[in-house]
Amino acid sequence: MIRERYYYAVAAFMRKDGKLTYTSVTSSVKGEEKDIVFYPIMNLITDVEEKFKDDMVSGTTLIHSVIEISKEDYDAYKDRIAKINEKEG
């Protein structure tokens, strides 16, 4: 059976200026139930590295926590971030 799971994580990474940054990230994984048993750690690391690639030291991403969330929470988080970015832009 095909299923989609949604995750929220707290991550940290070293910036090129020597500072440590904490951030949050969401991810979704879709596939056969048996194929998505574990948290998508590499997806989360890749998302952080892609988002902050110009400011971070590659390979320093640490995932501090991951929790599975509902689709509603996933969508609400994405909407909230879009609104914040819209205000800042």
Side-chain angles (χ1 to χ4, degrees), residues 32-82:
E32 290 289 331
E33 182 68 28
K34 64 181 175 39
D35 295 332
I36 57 172
V37 175
F38 300 108
Y39 293 128
I41 299 297
M42 285 309 298
N43 289 8
L44 295 164
I45 290 171
T46 302
D47 290 348
V48 170
E49 290 180 349
E50 186 62 32
K51 183 176 180 181
F52 296 101
K53 63 185 171 192
D54 295 334
D55 298 321
M56 73 177 296
V57 176
S58 296
T60 62
T61 303
L62 300 169
I63 303 299
H64 286 273
S65 63
V66 180
I67 59 170
E68 187 171 355
I69 59 175
S70 68
K71 179 174 182 1
E72 294 79 14
D73 284 337
Y74 177 84
D75 292 339
Y77 180 84
K78 292 290 188 184
D79 290 344
R80 178 178 172 269
I81 296 301

Side-chain angles (χ1 to χ4, degrees), residues 3-7 27-30 33 36-38 68:
R3 181 172 178 191
E4 191 163 15
R5 289 185 163 176
Y6 305 90
Y7 301 94
S27 184
S28 67
V29 177
K30 188 174 187 175
E33 182 68 28
I36 57 172
V37 175
F38 300 108
E68 187 171 355

